[in-house]
Amino acid sequence: MAYEDTSALPSIFERRESRVRSYCRSFPAVFKSARGAELIAEDGTRYIDFLAGCSTLNYGHNHPELKQALLDYIQADGVAHGLDMHTRAKASFLETFEKRILKPRSMDYRAMFPGPTGANAVEAALKIARKVTGRTNVIAFTNGFHGMTLGALAATGNSGKRGGAGIPLTGVVHEPYDGYFGEDTDTAEQLDRRLSDPSSGLDKPAAIIVEVVQGEGGLNVASDAWLRRVEQIARKHGALFIIDDIQAGIGRTGGFFSFEKAGVKPDIITLAKSLSGLGLPMALTLIRPDHDRWKPGEHNGTFRGNNHAFVTAAKAIDLFWSDDAFERDVARKGERLRAGLAKIGEGSALAGRLKGRGMMSGIEMQSGEVAAEVCAECFENGLIIETSGSHDEVVKVLAPLTISDAQLDAGLEILADAVRTVGARHRKSAA
Ligand SMILES: *Cc1c(COP(=O)(O)O)cnc(C)c1O
């Protein structure tokens, strides 16, 4: 590819930031502040945020109580960095997590803090599964997204992202997700059949890793029955059952965990994105105690345990997960969102199926190009919203779960207008 000299361009970003930058290309503004469900650009333009850091800001931007907890901690010279040494902040997080999340759900897990990103949590999950089982192969699913580091990327389906690896991505095979061939094909049954046949060519896996709702893959949803069946299949064939709850978890699709409704008990759970609550980097790999076979430091890292994130994560759990009020409100809002999206779909030739679950829902457009046009039109009118899916054809709403009904409706109105505008444009160019 020709080398493009950008050194004289007026924008510091175009001049100096790598071409790898991505979201900023869809939303070409410079943002200076944010609060709740709103982002404010340097020129004063206010945007409703239906992206929320890809579900990293489930409690909105700069939640005042989370922010205050962090300010207090910093003011008191609380430890900011301590490798993985014991700190008061870490103890408080673990105590809160045990008391409010694990105990009420009768869950028994060890908390491993990998490096502070989702990909790190997935890398750790895959490593421990391979170590525990002594097997190499991992089964992931079509349209799954698990991160961009080599181990996690191997489990990711998207060919564009895989292409960046530069080396073969090995040790993972992708099986069809629930509904991949339509409603009449039970992909779990097919998986069991192939794993049960020693001549199928499918190696017994160390783990089966799955998202309950595929965030980047187009908001495909696994049914409760399918998840339970996949869990059974994992057990039957001696594999660990891993749920990657990085995007669908922390209240986004129902309970604190996305799989609570299905009643499955994963061997390993990965969490990141909204875990810290304030958008600070933090990741967690939850490991069933009998699988916790790490040797000390066997998976190491300098930033394992972001103390500032411990402070806000503990505060967020106290604030939002002490009773079921938040969860019920999110369920209600999810229905409001889906009703709004369904209405947009009904009125348009370009918009199709409703996708996702609850506050992780979206609408499938005729093509990726149409979806991109709709999102661009939304941005023009003060709404930040992105696409997902094999062809980026799903316009996906990941509004903060704390968004007010009025803001949610206002965002949906902008989206509805954008779908109408793009529809009219297409009709005109077809005529
Ligand atoms: C975002 C995401 C990851 C990767 O997290 P990073 O923090 O970007 O490394 C992994 N799995 C799922 C389901 C995700 O949505």
Side-chain angles (χ1 to χ4, degrees), residues 117-119 145-147 211 244 246-247 273:
T117 69
F145 179 82
H146 300 287
E211 292 162 274
D244 180 347
I246 291 172
Q247 188 163 155
K273 292 200 164 86

Side-chain angles (χ1 to χ4, degrees), residues 113-134:
F113 301 107
T117 69
N120 270 281
V122 171
E123 294 286 347
L126 298 180
K127 269 195 198 177
I128 194 69
R130 287 177 171 133
K131 187 176 163 74
V132 165
T133 59

Side-chain angles (χ1 to χ4, degrees), residues 152-173:
L153 190 57
T156 292
N158 185 300
S159 59
K161 304 229 171 356
R162 293 171 66 83
I167 60 164
L169 296 169
T170 57
V172 181
V173 296

